[in-house]
Structures are given as structure tokens and as C-alpha cells.
Amino acid sequence: MIDPQLTSSSRRLAWLATLPAGVPVGSAFLRLFIRAGQDHLAELDLQVHPAEQRSGVGSLLLTTALAAAREEDRRCVIAQVEPSSSGEAFLSARGFRKVLTLTYARLPLAQADLAALGKIVHSPHPGYRLVAWDGVVPDELAETFAASRHALDDMPMDDTDYGTVSWDVQRVRDAALAIENRGDLLHTVAAIAESDDSIAGFTELVVPGDGKGDAQHYATGVLPEHRGHGLARWMKAEAILQARKRYPDLDGLLTDTADSNRHMRVINDALGYLPTHQRVTLQLDL
């Protein structure tokens, strides 16, 4: 069946496996990326009730989903699983290979070292200044913000056939509006290069609409020509301080980083983020 979860960048197919009596025992979702540069890719989410594992339900759902991926002319299918789990063993036995390991981390805001963060934020970064906005990027920054998204082009994805994501002004606005429409709050901190007033880097934080629980870091990137000036740490420190000040009921900040992205992992560790768990991405080349 077709899942109604349609976005500007993907659509999703869904299947439900049931017993003869109609009791659901498993499901599969296949996200089909539709934008140019990623329209070769599908992402699989397959779940089987523990009591029905090793009964053929998972194999039936996987075979069905892969057939659909081939019909959609997809080049590869990826799936995220817990390392050393039954899910990893299941997919590995069927041709999937590990292409990426992500480490998830959390900063408990109550334990954030506000003095140290303030010192980072107020330390001089000659040639740069920080700006921040809520929601959709201001019109006067829209063009340079869209251009700054190229900072993510070389984000470490290891062997994942992730493709390329093209950004323009309309897409960055659409992304912000999608977050707003689901009731969450998007906050962006950016570093401006004073030589030409262009955005050299940015970091995004999405806060639950009620300001409680945990917020999620989205993208953080610095354009290659502006790296080596400590901008990523500077921007993230400012984002943390803003979150702490504006949302007193917020518990923590969540982030995930490729294990191969040593630079960002060092920054997160220094800012107080504590690893919580890992996930691995598996890929099947069709």
C-alpha cells in the first residue's frame, strides 16, 4: 500500500504482514527519495514481532520491499540497525554490507558548563561574526544561506551511496516550514564572513514545540574555505547557550555523528556531549 507520508524529498511505500486471523506480525516501509541526486536511493525500515521472528515473515517482507525498489529503478537500499543485533545478522545474511557507523550523543543541559561555553562564544574570531534566527531564514540571508549548504557536500558518509543533495532558496524555506508545520521550533546560528557578508557556516537545532524534553541538532557545516578557524565549535556553543536561556524546561540536546568524522566528534566531546548508543547503516546494491 502507499503510505500517505509524502514530503518534498521522498514518498513511502508500506506493507503489513498478518496472520490468517488478521493479527499483525510485521511491517516494512520503503522510503523512496525523489529529488535529483538521490533518486537512486531507497531506505528500508523492517520490523517483525519478536514472537514471529525466524518464521519467514521478515524474509517475505524483505523480498516484497526489494522487488518494489527494483521496480522503482533504485540502485541501492539502505537500512539502519543496532550493531550486533538480530536485524544486522538478518540483513547481512541477505547481502547487505555495513557502510557507516553513527554514534549518538546527548548533552544534559543541566550539566552544561555555561562559563566555559560563554568563554568560547565571546572569544575573538577575527573576520567573522555570529547571527541567529528562528524558523525560515530572513530574506536578506536566504541566498547566502542556501549557498552555505554546500558545506555538507563532503560530510563523511563513508561507503554509503547517499548521492548529492542540491539546495536552493526555496528548498531551505520549505525545510523550515515543514518543521514549523509539524509544531516544532527551528533555531539556526550562522557565522558570517565579514569580508563579503556571506554565511561561512551554520548549525541548526530543532526544539519540541512545548520546549520540553530533548532538542535535536540537525545539520552543522562550515564551507571548506572557512575551516580551521574554530567556527563549528563557536556556533554550537552559541546554540547551546541560547537553548539553555530560552527553554528552561528543555532537558537535553541530541546529536549523531559518523565515527569517521573525528573533527566533529572531538568538538562534541569538548562541549560535554555524552555518547548514548550507536547505529550502523547497511546497504544492498541492487
Side-chain angles (χ1 to χ4, degrees):
M1 61 182 175
I2 299 177
D3 186 284
Q5 189 178 91
L6 176 67
T7 72
S8 60
S9 60
S10 69
R11 58 188 176 89
R12 202 168 70 158
L13 305 179
W15 297 269
L16 180 68
T18 66
L19 295 176
V23 178
V25 293
S27 63
F29 295 93
L30 189 70
R31 181 170 300 283
L32 301 166
F33 294 86
I34 58 179
R35 286 187 180 271
Q38 288 194 303
D39 52 6
H40 66 284
L41 180 64
E43 184 173 21
L44 175 69
D45 180 7
L46 192 155
Q47 303 290 334
V48 177
H49 191 283
E52 300 299 328
Q53 291 179 1
R54 301 183 181 277
S55 66
V57 173
S59 295
L60 176 61
L61 287 167
L62 178 62
T63 299
T64 303
L66 293 181
R70 290 187 172 95
E71 289 177 6
E72 294 284 345
D73 294 324
R74 299 295 144 155
R75 187 168 72 221
C76 65
V77 177
I78 59 174
Q80 266 202 11
V81 296
E82 294 182 7
S84 304
S85 64
S86 59
E88 181 177 9
F90 172 80
L91 293 176
S92 296
R94 289 156 179 80
F96 283 75
R97 59 189 176 89
K98 184 165 68 174
V99 292
L100 178 69
T101 300
L102 292 174
T103 293
Y104 290 73
R106 180 178 184 271
L107 173 66
L109 280 177
Q111 300 176 24
D113 189 336
L114 302 185
L117 291 168
K119 185 176 180 180
I120 294 171
V121 168
H122 293 106
S123 64
H125 289 71
Y128 299 94
R129 69 179 187 276
L130 292 180
V131 297
W133 65 85
D134 299 334
V136 177
V137 59
D139 290 345
E140 64 272 17
L141 293 174
E143 289 286 351
T144 182
F145 181 52
S148 74
R149 308 290 303 198
H150 287 294
L152 305 177
D153 289 351
D154 60 352
M155 180 175 62
M157 294 297 292
D158 295 359
D159 292 332
T160 312
D161 188 3
Y162 196 69
T164 57
V165 180
S166 299
W167 290 89
D168 55 23
V169 170
Q170 190 58 51
R171 182 166 186 180
V172 298
R173 287 174 174 158
D174 288 345
L177 288 172
I179 293 170
E180 177 183 314
N181 290 338
R182 70 174 188 241
D184 291 335
L185 309 167
L186 172 64
H187 302 288
T188 305
V189 175
I192 300 286
E194 294 180 336
S195 58
D196 59 2
D197 285 332
S198 66
I199 292 180
F202 64 92
T203 187
E204 298 168 316
L205 182 69
V206 176
V207 178
D210 61 2
K212 299 178 180 180
D214 288 342
Q216 176 71 55
H217 285 286
Y218 275 29
T220 297
V222 177
L223 287 166
E225 61 269 29
H226 296 287
R227 292 172 186 168
H229 301 286
L231 300 185
R233 187 180 70 147
W234 192 29
M235 295 184 299
K236 291 195 83 167
E238 172 66 8
I240 296 167
L241 285 179
Q242 287 192 16
R244 188 73 175 87
K245 179 179 180 180
R246 298 177 63 179
Y247 300 100
D249 295 327
L250 199 60
D251 295 327
L253 308 182
L254 306 175
T255 189
D256 59 87
T257 311
D259 272 14
S260 58
N261 191 350
R262 295 181 57 84
H263 179 69
M264 189 57 68
R265 287 173 56 201
V266 168
I267 290 174
N268 290 337
D269 290 346
L271 292 174
Y273 289 80
L274 305 173
T276 57
H277 64 286
Q278 288 188 321
R279 298 276 286 179
V280 296
T281 298
L282 306 180
Q283 177 174 303
L284 178 68
D285 299 315
L286 298 177

